């Protein structure tokens, strides 16, 4: 079997015999004693473990991205360049990120500072931080409990987009990152990274019930929180056919392994509802690893992508050695945390069709925090209004209201054929109580969720009265904070 091979702070690394479920964080601290990278939550919430990885963006170009080392399994960095906070100082000289943090008094106890510095490093080499909210989004995945965010934000603003001629700039200019195939074994555990669909089918012929992983933002929690040791994992990260992100037939094709950061960038010009949901989906570090397919295939009732994609009429394309089949997205979810995927089958693409003339579409997320939080209720709505001002079609999808993301079909039927007016919406609202009987949990009571569902539909109606439809960057109120 193969060795693990990657670059750590520009030094080539080869390892064998290490369990494939060893996280990059544990490797850094326990194996090579790079202890600048800290552990805070071990679930990707605090950002103390942030490191930078040089990899491809959605267009295949090299990019430097901050990620959570606590969620990266070591085989996931095969063939990549990984940088820790120790790499910032070069030739005895501190990096501009470090100097700026110190000068603005952006560190007090210092525990969270290494992770903050690595998120700032990504900001330092980004070219698109042209609006204040983008800088907020860059830094929202890093918690600091003692310094206060004003000096940290001031430091981040100073370094954003500087792109100094440092070792990272040289690496970006000289490296063309490509995901690498891997067949790795340590003890009773195995980890495969096929680099084509054909290679994937070969692995699945032998292991048809293998667990898939790409970003690890969900599965890795089983390792860090439940101490699970999955015997066999198959990463889809290196399969190029699944990384498609392109216009298609007036709509859009989203490959299953495309990073959500790249989908957000793509959607900004072509799908405001999808961009709006992704803005508040999670932290920058999470979106730099999380994928379209991962969010859908976990089949979580509070997965944020499903409602907006349901509202937009998306279909999933499933592939296996036997061929291809298509399903409406609503038929993909067959129960709590269960999908229609058969053994030996993978989610390949999500196809979002061209939107009908007269369509008004928006997405909403309600959570207790605006940034980096799990939804209490999320929603995606589309109403097609004809020339007479009547509703020709309604697609109202919710997350957090049932065992799966689902459409409110009785409410939709009550709206179709009616004038798109406040009175019609109010008349249809009681049907939501027939569509859903939500449960109570620590994120909200059944009453609270039912009331939210009604209020979001009310808000959708009133927001669609705006012309032109507001864009995300102009209306951050799309995400509701509950205090």
């Amino acid at each position: 079997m193969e060795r693990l091979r990657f670059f750590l702070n520009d030094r080539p690394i080869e390892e064998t015999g290490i369990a494939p479920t060893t996280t990059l964080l544990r490797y850094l601290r326990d194996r090579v004693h790079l202890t600048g990278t800290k552990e805070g939550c071990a679930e990707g919430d605090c950002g103390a473990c942030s490191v930078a990885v040089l990899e491809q963006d959605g267009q295949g170009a090299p990019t430097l991205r901050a990620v959570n080392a606590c969620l990266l399994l070591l085989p996931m960095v095969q063939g990549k360049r990984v940088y820790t906070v120790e790499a910032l100082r070069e030739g005895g000289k501190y990096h501009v990120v470090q100097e700026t943090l110190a000068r603005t008094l952006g560190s007090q106890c210092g525990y969270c500072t290494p992770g903050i510095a690595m998120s700032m490093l990504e900001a330092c080499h980004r070219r698109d931080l042209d609006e204040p909210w983008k800088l907020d989004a860059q830094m929202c995945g890093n918690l600091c409990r003692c310094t206060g965010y004003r000096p940290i934000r001031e430091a981040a603003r100073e370094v954003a987009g500087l792109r100094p001629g440092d070792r990272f700039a040289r690496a970006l200019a000289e490296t063309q990152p490509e995901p690498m195939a891997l067949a790795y074994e340590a003890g009773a555990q195995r980890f495969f990274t096929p680099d084509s669909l054909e290679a994937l089918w070969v692995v699945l012929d032998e292991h048809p019930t293998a667990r898939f992983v790409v970003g690890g933002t969900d599965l890795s929690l089983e390792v860090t929180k439940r101490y699970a040791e999955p015997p066999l994992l198959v990463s889809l990260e290196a399969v190029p056919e699944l990384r498609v992100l392109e216009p298609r037939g007036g709509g859009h094709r989203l490959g299953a392994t495309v990073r959500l950061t790249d989908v957000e960038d793509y959607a900004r010009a072509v799908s405001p509802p999808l961009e709006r949901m992704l803005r508040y989906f999670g932290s920058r570090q999470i979106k730099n690893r999380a994928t379209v397919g991962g969010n859908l295939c976990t089949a979580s009732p509070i997965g944020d992508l499903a409602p907006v994609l349901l509202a937009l009429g998306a279909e999933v394309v499933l592939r296996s050695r036997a061929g291809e089949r298509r399903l409406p997205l609503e038929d993909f979810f067959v129960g709590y945390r269960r999908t229609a995927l058969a053994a030996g089958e993978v989610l390949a693409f999500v196809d979002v069709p061209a939107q009908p003339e007269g369509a008004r579409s928006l997405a909403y997320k309600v959570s207790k925090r605006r940034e980096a939080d799990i939804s209490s209720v999320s929603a995606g709505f589309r109403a097609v209004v004809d020339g007479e001002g009547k509703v020709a079609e309604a697609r109202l999808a919710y997350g957090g209201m049932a065992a799966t993301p689902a459409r409110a079909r009785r409410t939709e039927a009550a709206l179709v054929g009616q004038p798109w007016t406040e009175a019609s919406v109010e008349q249809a609202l009681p049907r939501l109580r027939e569509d859903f009987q939500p449960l109570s949990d620590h994120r909200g009571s059944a009453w609270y969720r039912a009331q939210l569902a009604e209020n979001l539909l009310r808000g959708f109606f009133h927001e669609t009265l705006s012309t032109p439809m507001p864009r995300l960057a102009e209306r951050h109120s799309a995400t509701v904070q509950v205090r």
Side-chain angles (χ1 to χ4, degrees):
M1 302 297 280
E2 297 180 31
R3 295 173 177 267
L4 298 176
R5 294 182 174 88
F6 58 98
F7 289 87
L8 179 57
N9 297 339
D10 291 328
R11 182 169 63 92
I13 299 290
E14 287 194 12
E15 293 284 3
T16 189
I18 298 178
T21 48
T22 301
T23 65
L24 177 60
L25 174 62
R26 294 267 52 92
Y27 175 80
L28 293 174
R29 294 186 60 82
D30 302 339
R31 183 86 171 194
V32 295
H33 308 297
L34 292 176
T35 54
T37 305
K38 300 295 191 281
E39 179 175 34
C41 64
E43 57 187 38
D45 278 344
C46 73
C49 68
S50 297
V51 298
V53 176
L54 199 158
E55 56 187 0
Q56 291 181 341
D57 65 12
Q59 305 304 314
T63 187
L64 196 67
R65 286 182 168 168
V67 297
N68 297 118
C70 70
L71 299 179
L72 272 178
L73 305 182
L74 204 56
M76 295 176 180
V77 299
Q78 180 76 352
K80 298 181 180 179
R81 289 184 177 269
V82 178
Y83 295 100
T84 68
V85 68
E86 287 86 355
L88 289 176
R89 190 177 183 185
E90 186 179 7
K93 180 176 171 44
Y94 288 107
H95 193 274
V96 63
V97 162
Q98 295 169 301
E99 291 178 341
T100 307
L101 263 177
R103 177 168 46 77
T104 59
L105 306 180
S107 177
Q108 187 165 315
C109 82
Y111 192 85
C112 64
T113 305
I116 289 172
M118 298 312 286
S119 288
M120 286 176 57
L121 178 65
E122 181 186 0
C124 193
H125 285 277
R126 285 181 64 180
R127 298 175 180 271
D128 60 340
L129 293 175
D130 51 359
E131 298 180 67
W133 70 267
K134 292 183 180 180
L135 190 60
D136 291 346
Q138 172 69 49
M139 300 303 299
C140 75
N142 291 89
L143 302 184
C144 180
R145 303 187 188 279
C146 61
T147 303
Y149 291 104
R150 184 200 56 76
I152 294 171
R153 189 179 184 191
E154 180 182 335
R157 186 184 299 113
E158 284 193 33
V159 303
L162 286 181
R163 301 192 299 281
D166 53 17
R167 69 192 303 173
F168 312 105
R170 294 191 295 273
L172 286 165
E174 298 167 3
T175 306
Q176 184 55 52
E178 287 282 353
M180 288 180 60
L182 176 67
Y184 180 75
E185 183 176 354
Q189 293 180 283
R190 305 176 78 184
F191 193 106
F192 292 95
T193 306
D195 59 358
S196 68
L197 282 176
E198 180 56 35
L200 174 61
W201 306 146
V202 171
V203 174
L204 294 183
D205 286 344
E206 186 176 352
H207 308 285
T209 59
R211 292 191 69 181
F212 300 124
V213 66
V214 183
T217 56
D218 188 79
L219 182 143
S220 294
L221 296 180
E222 298 180 22
V223 175
T224 63
K225 295 300 183 182
R226 301 177 187 171
Y227 307 105
E229 297 180 350
L232 174 64
L233 294 175
V234 176
S235 172
L236 305 179
E237 187 168 0
V239 180
E241 295 93 333
L242 307 184
R243 298 202 302 269
V244 175
L245 181 60
E246 62 185 14
R248 189 179 180 89
H252 313 284
R253 170 159 282 190
L254 314 178
T257 64
V258 175
R259 303 275 188 258
L260 296 187
T261 294
D262 298 317
V263 178
E264 183 179 7
D265 291 343
Y266 174 83
R268 188 162 295 122
V270 299
S271 181
L274 184 55
E275 179 204 25
R276 171 182 272 194
M277 184 60 82
L278 286 171
R279 163 65 178 90
Y280 294 101
F281 179 96
S283 70
R284 178 78 177 183
Q285 291 97 318
I286 292 296
K287 289 186 287 190
N288 281 344
R289 288 296 301 170
T291 63
V292 173
N295 190 245
L296 296 178
C297 289
T298 58
S300 169
I302 50 174
D304 286 336
L305 277 187
V308 62
L309 291 174
L310 284 168
L312 295 175
E315 291 186 329
V316 292
V317 180
L318 313 181
R319 281 193 175 178
S320 67
R321 186 183 282 284
E324 178 179 294
R325 64 186 179 116
R326 304 177 69 94
L327 290 174
L329 181 57
E330 50 259 49
D331 295 339
F332 184 65
F333 305 111
V334 298
Y336 178 73
R337 293 279 190 172
R338 293 189 298 115
T339 72
L341 283 170
E345 194 171 44
V346 298
L347 171 60
F349 316 109
V350 177
D351 283 346
V352 180
Q355 298 304 292
E357 187 71 25
R360 307 174 185 193
S361 306
L362 285 172
Y364 298 87
K365 173 174 178 171
V366 181
S367 54
K368 293 188 176 182
R369 299 189 306 268
R370 188 178 73 174
E371 308 277 9
D373 201 5
I374 296 173
S375 297
S376 298
V377 174
S378 57
F381 300 137
R382 184 177 81 187
V384 179
V385 181
D386 64 21
E388 298 179 358
K390 293 184 177 181
V391 179
E393 180 201 44
R395 296 180 68 93
L396 313 175
Y398 287 89
M401 295 292 290
T404 66
R407 289 172 59 186
R409 293 188 178 274
R410 293 181 178 85
T411 311
E412 292 173 356
L415 285 172
V416 172
Q418 301 301 312
W420 185 235
T421 62
E422 185 173 5
S424 295
V425 171
E426 290 295 330
Q427 189 173 359
L429 283 177
R431 296 296 184 91
L432 280 171
R433 307 284 175 145
E434 302 172 18
D435 283 312
F436 300 112
Q437 292 78 46
L439 299 176
S440 295
D441 62 17
H442 63 285
R443 294 190 184 93
S445 66
W447 175 88
Y448 172 73
R449 285 190 161 100
Q451 193 63 51
L452 274 181
E454 292 184 6
N455 289 344
L456 289 176
L457 186 52
R458 287 188 180 101
F460 171 61
F461 167 75
H462 287 290
E463 197 165 357
T464 60
L465 298 183
S466 303
T467 305
M469 292 291 286
R471 286 183 53 76
L472 167 68
E474 300 163 355
R475 291 293 299 273
H476 282 188
S477 61
T479 293
V480 182
Q481 281 184 271
V482 182
R483 301 188 182 275

